[in-house]
Amino acid sequence: MMRLLDLLHRWLGGVIGLLLAVLGVSGALLVHKDVWTGVPGAGDPHVTETAALAAAAQRLMADPETRPRSIVFATDGFGLNRLSFEGEAGAYADQAGQIVTRWESQWERPEVWLFDLHHHLFYGDTGEMVAGVAGLVGLGFVITGLILWWPLRHSYVFRLVPRDLSRFAILRHHRDWGVLLAPVLALSMVTGAIMIFRPVTNLVLGPGAEAEITRSLKPPPPLKGVKLAPDLDWGGMIREARRLYPTAEVRILSLPREGSGLVSLRLRQQEEWLPNGRTTLWFAADTGRLVQARDALKLPARAQAFNAIYSLHAAKVGGLPYRLVMTVSGLTLGLFGTLTVWTFWFRRKPRQKREPRIA
């Protein structure tokens, strides 16, 4: 029985360590995704004129045969529009609406499969749940590690890497280096868990937060029997959005989902932290008339706080200094996870020599 429990302990410890290492390193790389995505036009200046945005949207969405499911418009840091099609297919288009490159599978674009790895572990909703559980376990490691470190705080020694690969040296490095980054590691894991397990928001933002957020972000009732017209005025939607919110950044234009009969257009106002914003307009898919407009800055305070969580997790605020902090946090998590795998799966205790029996 003790042997079985030891094997179970080693196996679970190694699995959690491996998951945390994958999440940490992939997250550190994704923080700088806009920099290393090597596509012509990625460094183009950001076009914000309403007429240019409307023309590009009309060009990309006009033909029903080649129409994408959604357009994520360019930003200050990435000068291409990203298009999503059925399945894993996608494309990048310049800000005039001209396709630059296409792909049929996520494996053709490293930034796409890396995003899927970090968020879903290549396994859809199930992988997302597993990643969330690993994050919660990692948060538990941070809390218990601080508790265990406190009585030994006087022996603190800063080292970038362990002195050697002995169990004692790994544990001491884990303890002393981990306490330095504990606040950032905890922030990464808490924000990640909230995005996956929305009930966690009740623990962070107070009782009833989950229901309030769900109610605040719920889309309008679907328009039953309404089908997408082949000749919608897509540019007119952009112009209407800019009329209502003149200084907002146009972010995502999406086709109706699950028969809702509503085309959605997301904007980002200057005061919003969320990169793609939550200010949303919904248009009837058959006529293009405006059905509802929702101002994200008028949502309840806890809903606005929830909208800011992704920006904290993905280092979309704070500029380069905060991105570097989150990079160090992710790489440290990768180092800790790798050393945990080594400790639990590969390192074996040296066999003790038997002393000769004395007659």
Side-chain angles (χ1 to χ4, degrees):
M1 177 60 72
M2 294 300 296
R3 176 63 176 171
L4 180 62
L5 290 176
D6 180 64
L7 289 174
L8 181 62
H9 177 256
R10 294 172 68 90
W11 184 82
L12 288 176
V15 167
I16 295 298
L18 180 61
L19 287 175
L20 292 177
V22 168
L23 294 173
V25 174
S26 60
L29 293 173
L30 286 172
V31 165
H32 305 282
K33 176 174 66 69
D34 291 347
V35 176
W36 56 260
T37 300
V39 182
D44 289 352
H46 186 202
V47 177
T48 59
E49 290 78 10
T50 302
L53 293 169
Q58 191 67 37
R59 180 174 186 174
L60 291 168
M61 303 294 281
D63 188 352
E65 298 297 325
T66 60
R67 180 182 294 156
R69 292 184 304 171
S70 67
I71 304 173
V72 180
F73 290 90
T75 64
D76 286 332
F78 190 71
L80 293 172
N81 301 324
R82 178 175 167 180
L83 317 179
S84 296
F85 298 95
E86 292 295 331
E88 298 180 354
Y92 287 123
D94 62 25
Q95 295 176 72
Q98 184 68 40
I99 300 295
V100 174
T101 185
R102 298 179 64 101
W103 61 90
E104 297 301 323
S105 169
Q106 68 173 9
W107 303 109
E108 299 176 39
R109 294 302 314 171
E111 70 276 10
V112 178
W113 66 254
L114 190 66
F115 182 89
D116 189 33
L117 171 64
H118 185 76
H119 287 259
H120 304 107
L121 298 174
F122 299 142
Y123 210 66
D125 292 340
T126 301
E128 185 178 60
M129 297 286 285
V130 173
V133 171
L136 290 175
V137 173
L139 179 61
F141 287 163
V142 172
I143 296 173
T144 55
L146 288 173
I147 296 173
L148 293 173
W149 171 82
W150 183 252
L152 304 172
R153 61 190 183 277
H154 298 296
S155 62
Y156 177 85
V157 176
F158 175 78
R159 287 191 179 92
L160 287 176
V161 295
R163 183 179 55 191
D164 53 55
L165 292 181
S166 66
R167 182 177 178 83
F168 174 78
I170 290 174
L171 289 177
R172 183 167 184 178
H173 169 265
H174 185 108
R175 179 192 68 199
D176 290 343
W177 183 225
V179 72
L180 187 64
L181 291 176
V184 183
L185 290 172
L187 177 64
S188 298
M189 294 171 185
V190 168
T191 52
I194 288 176
M195 290 187 292
I196 297 173
F197 304 117
R198 191 169 289 185
V200 179
T201 55
N202 292 331
L203 300 176
V204 178
L205 300 178
E210 178 196 3
E212 183 178 57
I213 292 167
T214 301
R215 184 171 58 253
S216 300
L217 302 182
K218 186 178 180 180
L223 302 179
K224 297 181 179 180
V226 171
K227 295 183 179 181
L228 185 65
D231 56 350
L232 277 177
D233 183 7
W234 302 96
M237 299 179 190
I238 305 292
R239 289 189 289 271
E240 178 66 10
R242 275 292 175 82
R243 184 185 68 82
L244 295 174
Y245 303 98
T247 61
E249 182 181 351
V250 178
R251 293 304 311 128
I252 303 177
L253 178 62
S254 301
L255 297 183
R257 296 183 179 180
E258 301 176 356
S260 68
L262 294 168
V263 174
S264 66
L265 178 60
R266 282 175 61 172
L267 311 175
R268 177 184 175 273
Q269 299 188 67
Q270 295 179 2
E271 295 84 354
E272 293 185 67
W273 279 16
L274 191 65
N276 290 325
R278 282 285 187 188
T279 298
T280 311
L281 286 74
W282 288 272
F283 300 87
D286 55 349
T287 63
R289 66 178 176 86
L290 180 63
V291 175
Q292 183 176 322
R294 178 177 297 160
D295 188 340
L297 300 180
K298 295 181 180 179
L299 293 175
R302 291 193 292 189
Q304 294 191 47
F306 177 79
N307 289 337
I309 284 174
Y310 175 79
S311 300
L312 293 173
H313 183 82
K316 297 298 183 180
V317 292
L320 181 60
Y322 185 57
R323 288 201 300 273
L324 293 177
V325 169
M326 296 302 286
T327 301
V328 172
S329 172
L331 294 178
T332 299
L333 190 59
L335 176 62
F336 286 176
T338 302
L339 292 176
T340 299
V341 172
W342 163 260
T343 302
F344 280 96
W345 283 0
F346 298 104
R347 186 181 177 278
R348 295 289 185 268
K349 293 181 179 180
R351 294 182 179 180
Q352 295 181 353
K353 296 182 179 180
R354 295 182 178 180
E355 296 183 1
R357 292 189 302 172
I358 299 176

